[in-house]
Amino acid sequence: MSSTQCTKKIALIDCNSFYVSCERLFNPKIRNKPVVVLSSNDGCIISRSNEAKALGIKMGDPYFKAKDIILKNNVHIFSSNYSLYGDLSRRVMRTLKRFNSEIEIYSIDEAFLDLSNFPDDEVEDVGKEIRSIVLQWTGIPTSIGIAKTKTLSKVANHIAKKIKSGVVSLIGIKDIDPILEKVEINDVWGIGKQLTKFFAQSGIHNAKQLKNTSNTWIKKSSNVLSSRTAMELRGISCISLETQSSKRKSCVVSRSFAKKVEKLQELQESITSYCLNAAEKIRSESLITKSITVFIRTSPFQNQFAYYSNSKTIDLPIATDNSIEIVKTALTGLKSIFKNGYRYQKAGIMLSVLTDSQGSKNLFSSVKDEKIKNLMQSIDNTNYRFGRSTLSLASAGINKKLNIKRQHCSKIDTADFNFLPTIKAI
Amino acid sequence: MKLTVPFYLHKAGAGFPSPATDYIEEDVDLNIHLIKNVPATFIIRVQGKSMMDVGIYDGDLLVVDKSLKPKNFSTVIVNVHDELVVKNFVKEKDEQFLTSGSKKIEDKIIINSESDIFVWGVVTYVIHSVY
């Protein structure tokens, strides 16, 4: 193998305990301490420091379940501060783009980066450099796995999480079977619960077994997607990076309520305000929606009350980004699923079948549409200048009683002038 | 976060006013000039008076670049015993230490391998309101 060989190389960069790391950035007192971050409304545990993991606190556990361990061990708890996490995520991604603009932002704390430009025998050092620069610039620790395919880079990342250097490259390793043998089938990227069950029945329990199973068999007995996964495990890239900021296909806004809600009117107010947020969001990305879904549910953890969960999807005749139309449609949907006598804990809406709003004029467009477009623009501009909800629809309710529960929120936002971090001069 | 200031092309001063007085050519974008490395730069508010002698007052805003290495006499955000504070960074012969703005020698905090002190970021600008 020549030293300048440049095969396909993909890095998966994953931020370690991302939300916890964000909370630690301006609060070094919680370095090396057990820390957890709770989901919106302080419902579940969604991020844990290594120290918290060592105490046996599980990802996704409801807060009340873990409360005993938390109190006994002085675990530091934080309500999620998504604005701060979002800003730090953008900073991490921008830093990664310095190494290559071919990047797929996979989630708030994960990205695939194409490193094919670098020679094979240097790529691990490049990974270490990326890790150290992201840490220095943004303060966020990461783990990096590098391999020939996305699926293998996930495997490499899995191993990287457990070692001190935080970087693992599978490039140039001739026989990866011993590594894949240790990866359980449900830990393979793209293999969900159903497939795990199915493969287990066929005697496939780890990644090595899947890799060495014939494509014909996989295609015949499960589906094309898992044959792609098997190919990827063999080092043949089948799943390409989704770069060019491929536009979102849906937009969801949902919240848990601090106090259980029973009245239709209160739900209407919440749904209206979610619709306004979502509509503003898609307008800012020049998208229009053709399908609106409303969903409501009661708490699955309250045994003494009946459980109810339902959703309604309404397709629009003509795609729109008009707040008023979106709210109207969603409220119609809500009425059709609302049932009296339940204590609702969560509600939300989803705008889907999103498409580009450019050139979306059609036969039925009119001068009225132009006027509405201008109205929406003015609302967005006003809200941008004077803060969200300065201009709103009356159906959103004037006093927001339903404010979500965020008892333990760090009052820091690196992207909001009014909540900048404060540091002492002493 | 973005702050821009309209930038007037003609000079202020005595003399015949230009016919283009109210013509605004471009905005000065302070982000471009004060923030060299966007993902690594944070705006931080100061609380406390220990740095007044070097012109940093209570409530001032600091532009802090985490990607920079401190030079001699740089103002830095530094983690001292698990607390972030503003200090001056000084290199002298084989010694590195932190001082507050004041000349008082007892302020000196020595940095060595046992001191558990890390530079968090380097202050590049101080924004102080005088109005």
Side-chain angles (χ1 to χ4, degrees):
Chain A
M1 194 169 67
S2 86
S3 61
T4 51
Q5 201 173 341
C6 290
T7 50
K8 183 135 185 111
K9 288 177 284 288
I10 296 182
L12 173 65
I13 297 105
D14 189 2
C15 301
N16 300 344
S17 312
F18 180 56
Y19 300 163
V20 168
S21 299
C22 293
E23 295 292 348
R24 279 176 167 165
L25 181 59
F26 293 98
N27 189 356
K29 281 197 174 66
I30 57 170
R31 254 193 333 155
N32 310 319
K33 300 264 167 59
V35 183
V36 296
V37 175
L38 306 175
S39 62
S40 52
N41 201 32
D42 294 353
C44 296
I45 287 155
I46 49 169
S47 183
R48 306 159 298 156
S49 70
N50 285 336
E51 298 79 7
K53 288 175 194 171
L55 291 171
I57 298 173
K58 296 272 175 298
M59 187 73 171
D61 265 359
Y63 173 44
F64 67 80
K65 259 191 177 174
K67 216 165 182 172
D68 278 350
I69 309 180
I70 287 174
L71 290 176
K72 218 176 277 170
N73 296 282
N74 292 319
V75 177
H76 298 259
I77 43 177
F78 291 91
S79 305
S80 37
N81 182 347
Y82 284 113
S83 183
L84 173 69
Y85 309 155
D87 183 53
L88 291 170
S89 168
R90 279 193 297 277
R91 289 165 183 269
V92 169
M93 301 308 170
R94 281 180 89 147
T95 307
L96 293 176
K97 275 184 198 162
R98 300 280 176 107
F99 291 89
N100 192 344
S101 55
E102 289 294 293
I103 183 173
E104 174 184 342
I105 297 169
Y106 187 64
S107 70
I108 192 166
D109 58 358
E110 276 177 289
F112 291 102
L113 188 65
D114 192 322
L115 296 181
S116 305
N117 295 337
F118 297 95
D120 280 11
D121 55 357
E122 284 173 24
V123 78
E124 189 164 340
D125 288 336
V126 171
K128 285 178 182 157
E129 166 105 3
I130 293 174
R131 189 178 187 277
S132 109
I133 285 189
V134 171
L135 182 62
Q136 169 82 47
W137 289 17
T138 67
I140 302 295
T142 54
S143 302
I144 302 183
I146 306 164
K148 283 184 193 163
T149 67
K150 280 166 101 174
T151 308
L152 284 175
S153 73
K154 275 267 184 185
V155 171
N157 190 282
H158 214 72
I159 307 167
K161 281 227 159 60
K162 291 172 195 147
I163 63 168
K164 203 164 172 259
S165 76
V167 180
V168 165
S169 164
L170 301 181
I171 299 293
I173 295 181
K174 289 234 168 63
D175 182 16
I176 61 164
D177 278 9
I179 295 168
L180 294 183
E181 198 168 10
K182 289 187 202 131
V183 181
E184 281 177 44
I185 193 78
N186 61 316
D187 284 334
V188 175
W189 189 47
I191 306 290
K193 264 189 196 153
Q194 291 303 317
L195 278 171
T196 301
K197 238 189 240 166
F198 166 75
F199 282 130
Q201 279 160 11
S202 317
I204 298 170
H205 301 284
N206 63 47
K208 177 193 154 192
Q209 289 170 319
L210 180 61
K211 169 186 166 251
N212 295 333
T213 303
S214 88
N215 262 1
T216 345
W217 183 86
I218 300 174
K219 264 190 212 164
K220 212 163 51 188
S221 49
S222 64
N223 59 33
V224 182
L225 289 181
S226 12
S227 76
R228 275 203 325 189
T229 303
M231 296 275 276
E232 287 244 324
L233 288 172
R234 287 170 210 146
I236 302 153
S237 176
C238 300
I239 307 168
S240 52
L241 290 196
E242 283 171 38
T243 52
Q244 73 274 359
S245 67
S246 28
K247 286 198 170 168
R248 58 163 83 223
K249 289 169 188 90
S250 65
C251 174
V252 181
V253 179
S254 73
R255 300 272 187 282
S256 295
F257 302 127
K259 224 175 71 214
K260 306 274 185 300
V261 168
E262 291 176 61
K263 289 202 188 97
L264 176 62
Q265 199 206 327
E266 283 179 88
L267 280 177
Q268 283 170 333
E269 289 181 9
S270 306
I271 291 293
T272 303
S273 92
Y274 304 159
C275 285
L276 294 176
N277 284 357
E280 186 187 322
K281 185 91 202 151
I282 64 166
R283 283 199 295 271
S284 75
E285 295 175 27
S286 307
L287 294 167
I288 45 177
T289 178
K290 215 171 177 313
S291 176
I292 299 169
T293 305
V294 193
F295 52 93
I296 49 176
R297 70 163 169 75
T298 61
S299 167
F301 294 111
Q302 292 213 308
N303 300 330
Q304 69 268 42
F305 297 106
Y307 180 67
Y308 175 66
S309 168
N310 205 350
S311 71
K312 172 83 185 170
T313 301
I314 297 175
D315 292 321
L316 299 167
I318 298 162
T320 186
D321 60 3
N322 173 350
S323 293
I324 299 164
E325 206 170 325
I326 290 170
V327 168
K328 258 195 205 159
T329 314
L331 291 182
T332 312
L334 174 65
K335 255 192 187 147
S336 75
I337 54 173
F338 176 81
K339 275 196 199 168
N340 254 319
Y342 288 97
R343 293 155 50 89
Y344 294 96
Q345 189 243 344
K346 188 169 190 159
I349 59 119
M350 177 171 78
L351 308 182
S352 48
V353 202
L354 298 180
T355 50
D356 229 304
S357 65
Q358 254 73 53
S360 67
K361 271 200 180 155
N362 63 48
L363 266 180
F364 307 101
S365 306
S366 63
V367 184
K368 196 177 144 216
D369 288 343
E370 274 307 301
K371 276 191 184 153
I372 286 173
K373 199 177 152 203
N374 292 338
L375 171 64
M376 293 301 135
Q377 192 115 54
S378 327
I379 293 178
D380 289 348
N381 289 343
T382 309
N383 286 344
Y384 179 75
R385 283 184 58 189
F386 300 108
R388 182 156 265 167
S389 309
T390 305
L391 280 183
S392 180
L393 295 191
S395 56
I398 306 291
N399 50 351
K400 289 264 166 54
K401 273 179 294 184
L402 293 171
N403 271 346
I404 54 168
K405 199 157 92 185
R406 292 167 84 199
Q407 266 171 21
H408 314 280
C409 195
S410 51
K411 289 175 185 63
I412 284 179
D413 186 352
T414 46
D416 184 336
F417 194 79
N418 297 311
F419 295 95
L420 292 176
T422 299
I423 284 177
K424 282 185 183 149
I426 42 168
Chain B
M1 210 168 64
K2 194 174 166 86
L3 50 158
T4 62
V5 178
F7 173 57
Y8 294 83
L9 264 188
H10 85 103
K11 281 181 196 150
F16 196 69
S18 153
T21 308
D22 49 8
Y23 180 69
I24 298 173
E25 178 68 13
E26 236 176 279
D27 282 354
V28 166
D29 185 344
L30 282 180
N31 286 300
I32 294 171
H33 300 283
L34 302 192
I35 300 178
K36 291 282 175 281
N37 189 343
V38 177
T41 302
F42 294 85
I43 312 287
I44 288 171
R45 202 176 284 282
V46 179
Q47 195 184 62
K49 299 175 177 172
S50 74
M51 299 295 283
M52 267 162 50
D53 290 348
V54 289
I56 298 175
Y57 294 83
D58 194 21
D60 281 359
L61 294 173
L62 304 179
V63 179
V64 180
D65 190 333
K66 266 180 78 54
S67 69
L68 299 177
K69 295 262 179 299
K71 294 187 282 199
N72 200 6
F73 300 115
S74 284
T75 302
V76 293
I77 302 297
V78 62
N79 179 350
V80 180
H81 311 311
D82 284 344
E83 181 160 34
L84 292 179
V85 289
V86 193
K87 293 280 178 193
N88 273 341
F89 176 87
V90 185
K91 276 188 215 173
E92 229 169 50
K93 290 174 214 147
D94 305 327
E95 209 182 34
Q96 293 187 347
F97 56 90
L98 303 169
T99 63
S100 300
S102 67
K103 306 285 181 294
K104 278 180 279 174
I105 205 77
E106 61 266 31
D107 282 344
K108 205 161 122 174
I109 303 170
I110 310 276
I111 306 178
N112 56 38
S113 50
E114 290 121 56
S115 57
D116 192 37
I117 289 171
F118 311 96
V119 173
W120 189 93
V122 176
V123 178
T124 52
Y125 290 93
V126 179
I127 301 171
H128 175 72
S129 168
V130 290
Y131 182 71

